[in-house]
Amino acid sequence: MSRKQLVDWQLDLDQRYLRATGSPRHEAYIDVLRERLVRAGVKQLRFEPVSFRQWSVEPGHWSLEVIDGDRLGILAAAGYIPYSGVTPPSGLVAPLVYLAPGSEPDASLAGKRVLVEMPKVAWADQVFHDRAVHVHVHDLDHAMAPETPYARPFQMLGPFIALLDSLQAAGAAGVIVILDAPASTAYGLYAPSDGQVRQLPGVFVDRDRGQRLRDRVQAGTVPALRLTMDATVRQVQTRNLVGIIPGKPRN
């Protein structure tokens, strides 16, 4: 397969934007993948129906809005938290409190929206050395020493899900999550993708906006905010695409 073919497929994928499971874009892409497998000569193809509970929200149906003070209007958010919950079309207005990293959610958060920071998890490269079957080191610049920090976005998913679940268990009414990233890279995060519908409507904000919000909450000067997540939850059906290539393993 040529490099150009792989690049063209990736560009095509990027132009399809978010393909949330069960959405028209997702279903259309399944058909495209089937067509490509047919052209590649895979003859044993079939669809498997999958029914699941889908949460979705349309553009313009979610927002974070300042509703008092001298700077009224929509507050730019980096994105919504998928499957986080639903508010009435009129939105949710509730007190906003800050929960510092490492603090455990408790009953004092009931009925309030909570401003939190995305959990940070950092490994060292030693974790890979410990689990490797064989280690061959060719690292002339010593960039991957065992003590070198290793931090990637996927590492935060488990702690993030645990945080959302604990906030929901504490009775929080909503959540605003501060991402440790500038607006240019924070925008569009779709996480978590576990498909668990929660009752904790929430949004992400970037580092600078989050810091300003945190400072104002701690100073007791935060304006009234309306969080709107006019989402839809329904039972839908999608498909798994299964292809079988005849043959047997060498062993």
Side-chain angles (χ1 to χ4, degrees):
M1 184 176 297
S2 69
R3 178 180 182 275
K4 182 180 183 304
Q5 179 66 83
L6 292 173
V7 171
D8 287 346
W9 280 349
Q10 185 61 58
L11 291 173
D12 171 73
L13 188 62
D14 291 343
Q15 291 168 359
R16 294 174 187 274
Y17 301 104
L18 176 65
R19 303 174 311 285
T21 305
S23 68
R25 286 176 180 168
H26 174 252
E27 295 300 312
Y29 191 58
I30 292 174
D31 291 332
V32 169
L33 293 178
R34 184 185 186 281
E35 179 185 347
R36 290 176 184 171
L37 288 171
V38 169
R39 292 205 307 265
V42 180
K43 298 185 183 302
Q44 297 184 50
L45 290 169
R46 71 176 189 274
F47 290 120
E48 293 179 343
V50 178
S51 179
F52 74 103
R53 195 172 176 222
Q54 181 197 62
W55 179 100
S56 62
V57 65
E58 297 296 325
H61 286 241
W62 68 275
S63 64
L64 185 62
E65 182 182 4
V66 179
I67 59 173
D68 76 352
D70 56 357
R71 303 187 69 176
L72 303 178
I74 301 296
L75 195 64
Y80 57 79
I81 301 176
Y83 284 76
S84 59
V86 179
T87 72
S90 58
L92 169 69
V93 179
L96 181 64
V97 297
Y98 175 65
L99 184 69
S103 301
E104 290 295 326
D106 57 32
S108 67
L109 302 180
K112 300 173 183 174
R113 287 168 305 172
V114 187
L115 179 66
V116 299
E117 300 183 40
M118 178 65 81
K120 295 179 180 179
V121 179
W123 300 344
D125 283 337
Q126 184 66 50
V127 71
F128 302 107
H129 289 252
D130 292 343
R131 289 162 175 76
V133 175
H134 172 74
V135 177
H136 173 73
V137 178
H138 182 74
D139 184 13
L140 301 180
D141 296 327
H142 304 288
M144 295 292 288
E147 66 275 9
T148 301
Y150 181 89
R152 298 293 187 274
F154 75 86
Q155 294 166 288
M156 56 76 176
L157 292 177
F160 181 40
I161 289 172
L163 175 60
L164 294 178
D165 289 343
S166 62
L167 288 170
Q168 178 173 274
V175 64
I176 300 173
V177 179
I178 304 171
L179 300 176
D180 186 19
S184 58
T185 56
Y187 177 77
L189 174 65
Y190 191 89
S193 53
D194 59 351
Q196 179 66 43
V197 180
R198 296 179 171 84
Q199 300 300 321
L200 188 73
V203 296
F204 297 113
V205 293
D206 64 76
R207 181 193 300 133
D208 291 344
R209 190 169 300 280
Q211 181 176 341
R212 292 195 293 271
L213 267 178
R214 182 179 62 230
D215 291 346
R216 296 197 65 174
V217 169
Q218 292 176 324
T221 60
V222 66
L225 300 174
R226 176 187 291 120
L227 173 63
T228 301
M229 194 66 66
D230 185 17
T232 300
V233 178
R234 60 192 181 119
Q235 198 71 23
V236 302
Q237 184 164 289
T238 185
R239 304 163 289 167
N240 285 331
L241 174 59
V242 180
I244 299 175
I245 300 175
K248 63 180 180 180
R250 293 179 180 177
N251 58 355

